[in-house]
Amino acid sequence: MLTWRRTFVTSLARLNRNPPATGANPTLLRCAQVLRNSQQKPCSLEDQEIKLHGYIRSVRKQKRFAFAEISDGSAVDAVQAILKPAQAAELSTGTAIEISGIWKACPPGKEQTHELQATAVDVVGKADPETYPIQKKYHSPEFLRQIPHLRFRTPLNSLLARFRSECLYQLGNVFRAAPNGGFIQVHPPVITSSDCEGAGETFAVIPRETLATGLPDKEHEHFFRAPKYLSVSSQLHLEAYAAELGNVWTLAPMFRAEKSDTPRHLSEFYMLEAEVNFLSNLESLTDVVEYLLRDLTRRLYETPAGQEILSIKHEANPESSEPNATLDLRQRWLNLMDGPKWRRLTYTDATAALQEAVSQGNVTFEYAPTWDGGLQLEHERYLVDAINDGQPIFITDYPKAIKPFYMGPSANASAESETVACFDLLLPEVSEVAGGSLREHRLPELIKNMREHGLIKSSSENAESQDYPHLLPGEDLSHLQWYADLRRWGTAPHGGFGLGFDRFLGYLTGVSSIRDTVAFPRYFGRADC
């Protein structure tokens, strides 16, 4: 009780103390600047008048003074201000304010090292405390997804936005500093003519009035004189860039009309894609991917946003009866940065290992692993956790029959088990985050693949007019002729990859649902705001 009184009296005395006279306006700073400066010895801001713009995260009003936590989105921690009752009269959680004051050291024993002794408070945006949905209590991710326009005002979600920004900045440095001259960033189109993956899960692009009038009867009457779609991958256009520029990369929004209602899928997401020219073996391509991701993680580790991610405690639901498992994010990052070289395991060997685990009774799968059936999520997780001891792993050389037309053959492909030179990168917990391949750079083989995938049109009307190399009479490459042209005139062996940027961010931040790594998530059945 005596300790409390001593603190109370001291705080009140500090609050009523006249500030030193200043001849200029107080310096406008961000909360992160103030907090970082306060960790230095000595603190250069101590006893200086400063100004902040921000929001009230919480406020405690007492008879003789009040405490307010102020956040401006620049740091997880808030700045604590001490105010007179009149200054805090109109403050409530969510209120936007401009506040000036003296930055003073706190007495020993207090949680914070410094606090702002307010000299002026200006309310610039009121928030009704009865209706404002963000309060100082636990809010479930499901609840916050219903108000995506406001969830930035929670510490974790504002941190995720800052961390994403830091990733974008560091990506440019990573690609510029990559070996062999680095990469050039490019901007491929979002509106495309084709479904790169061949799965047919595309969104069509049409003018709004077409919804009322209906689709045109003839192809040339479309807005673009042919049907167009939102891109599912920039790969084909990156190959055009790489043919002249060399190594290129992009980070662009992708759109897939998958009716997947899972925490791993979005209808709009960001894909990090790169293409490497004059590349002729898969091992070199996986080496590039491993280098880039390790380097990105190392750079992020040294940033304030990265350290905040590693230090923040993910808030648990207090009403949950399940134990809150501690996620060791720091060790996860260290494994990415400095762990052993990531294992390469062929799809054939992976399937055999899964089948052996089943036969020995070590595991039971919902879907039996078969060579021509592809890998399910449960298979990928077992490969990472059980077979590879929880470390990243590349699964390479998948069957040709289950992969897109543009992939080149494996170095050891056989007629009995025809495979292509491709890979999927699997990480613990999130499974697949990246995939890539060597591209089929030979024109005859590319056209053969396109024919086998049903991508070449055939019409008797074109029997006499088509003279494109390696086409049969009546065949037409249609909207993919430009892609074949890349092989027709001066091609080189090349390969590339695509990484689910949002999913990788979820892995680095420990956020289990991809819907929480994206500010305004769009997925089957939902596209708020």
Side-chain angles (χ1 to χ4, degrees), residues 442-461:
R442 302 164 299 176
L443 181 60
E445 285 74 11
L446 179 67
I447 289 181
K448 179 175 179 292
N449 290 347
M450 294 169 69
R451 185 180 293 118
E452 292 173 351
H453 281 78
L455 297 175
I456 298 180
K457 292 185 177 181
S458 181
S459 173
S460 58
E461 298 178 2

Side-chain angles (χ1 to χ4, degrees), residues 40-55:
Q40 300 174 3
K41 303 295 183 182
C43 172
S44 62
L45 293 178
E46 196 167 296
D47 296 323
Q48 300 297 312
E49 188 173 18
I50 63 174
K51 185 176 184 179
L52 298 174
H53 294 166
Y55 292 86

Side-chain angles (χ1 to χ4, degrees), residues 66-228:
F67 290 106
E69 289 187 349
I70 301 166
S71 173
D72 63 1
S74 64
V76 168
D77 295 327
V79 169
Q80 178 167 285
I82 181 170
L83 311 96
K84 298 176 182 178
Q87 293 173 324
E90 296 184 343
L91 302 187
S92 62
T93 300
T95 302
I97 66 168
E98 297 178 356
I99 183 171
S100 300
I102 308 302
W103 191 240
K104 299 291 292 185
C106 292
K110 298 197 73 173
E111 183 177 348
Q112 67 276 0
T113 61
H114 294 75
E115 63 187 4
L116 185 66
Q117 295 181 15
T119 56
V121 180
D122 184 16
V123 175
V124 297
K126 294 183 178 181
D128 182 1
E130 299 298 323
T131 59
Y132 184 56
I134 305 294
Q135 297 295 325
K136 191 176 181 181
K137 64 177 184 178
Y138 172 78
H139 295 297
S140 70
E142 292 78 12
F143 170 77
L144 292 174
R145 287 181 207 129
Q146 299 174 29
I147 48 172
H149 55 298
L150 295 176
R151 65 175 177 172
F152 296 115
R153 302 191 189 185
T154 64
L156 175 60
N157 283 278
S158 64
L159 172 56
L160 292 177
R162 290 196 309 279
F163 183 70
R164 188 184 190 93
S165 174
E166 187 64 44
C167 286
L168 297 178
Y169 174 77
Q170 296 299 340
L171 271 175
N173 295 330
V174 168
F175 278 105
R176 276 190 293 270
N180 302 318
F183 288 68
I184 296 175
Q185 185 178 10
V186 295
H187 288 159
V190 172
I191 298 176
T192 65
S193 302
S194 61
D195 172 11
C196 176
E197 299 299 320
E201 298 167 332
T202 57
F203 289 100
V205 178
I206 60 173
R208 171 180 264 179
E209 56 266 25
T210 304
L211 297 175
T213 61
L215 292 173
D217 296 328
K218 298 179 180 179
E219 187 172 277
H220 70 273
E221 295 176 350
H222 281 261
F223 183 88
F224 293 106
R225 300 295 182 262
K228 301 298 176 183

Side-chain angles (χ1 to χ4, degrees), residues 439-485:
R439 317 309 188 191
E440 179 52 81
H441 64 283
R442 302 164 299 176
L443 181 60
E445 285 74 11
L446 179 67
I447 289 181
K448 179 175 179 292
N449 290 347
M450 294 169 69
R451 185 180 293 118
E452 292 173 351
H453 281 78
L455 297 175
I456 298 180
K457 292 185 177 181
S458 181
S459 173
S460 58
E461 298 178 2
N462 298 327
E464 302 299 330
S465 60
Q466 182 58 259
D467 59 355
Y468 201 90
H470 310 292
L471 286 185
L472 301 176
E475 288 186 331
D476 183 3
L477 291 172
S478 186
H479 60 274
L480 284 173
Q481 180 171 324
W482 71 269
Y483 184 68
D485 283 349

Side-chain angles (χ1 to χ4, degrees), residues 214-352:
L215 292 173
D217 296 328
K218 298 179 180 179
E219 187 172 277
H220 70 273
E221 295 176 350
H222 281 261
F223 183 88
F224 293 106
R225 300 295 182 262
K228 301 298 176 183
Y229 311 93
L230 293 179
S231 178
V232 299
S233 172
S234 298
Q235 178 209 313
L236 304 189
H237 291 93
L238 287 184
E239 291 186 54
Y241 278 110
E244 170 59 23
L245 299 178
N247 301 344
V248 296
W249 75 281
T250 190
L251 180 66
M254 299 294 127
F255 307 85
R256 294 188 182 177
E258 293 180 295
K259 293 184 178 181
S260 299
D261 189 15
T262 76
R264 303 180 71 251
H265 296 89
L266 292 173
S267 297
E268 178 187 358
F269 57 96
Y270 273 78
M271 184 78 80
L272 171 65
E273 296 182 89
E275 202 72 21
V276 182
N277 205 9
F278 292 92
L279 182 78
S280 57
N281 69 82
L282 189 61
E283 180 73 16
S284 297
L285 181 59
T286 56
D287 286 345
V288 169
V289 175
E290 183 171 351
Y291 168 83
L292 293 172
L293 296 186
R294 285 184 186 271
D295 190 38
L296 174 60
T297 308
R298 290 190 190 101
R299 292 172 184 268
L300 290 171
Y301 190 83
E302 303 298 331
T303 65
Q307 288 302 310
E308 281 187 305
I309 285 290
L310 295 175
S311 61
I312 190 174
K313 294 181 179 178
H314 290 258
E315 193 174 8
N317 185 350
E319 301 176 358
S320 175
S321 59
E322 298 181 1
N324 183 27
T326 301
L327 179 62
D328 193 346
L329 275 184
R330 192 173 298 274
Q331 188 58 51
R332 174 180 289 186
W333 284 44
L334 292 175
N335 289 342
L336 276 180
M337 294 186 292
D338 304 318
K341 182 179 174 69
W342 300 345
R343 182 179 179 184
R344 278 72 168 163
L345 182 68
T346 67
Y347 174 89
T348 300
D349 290 341
T351 304

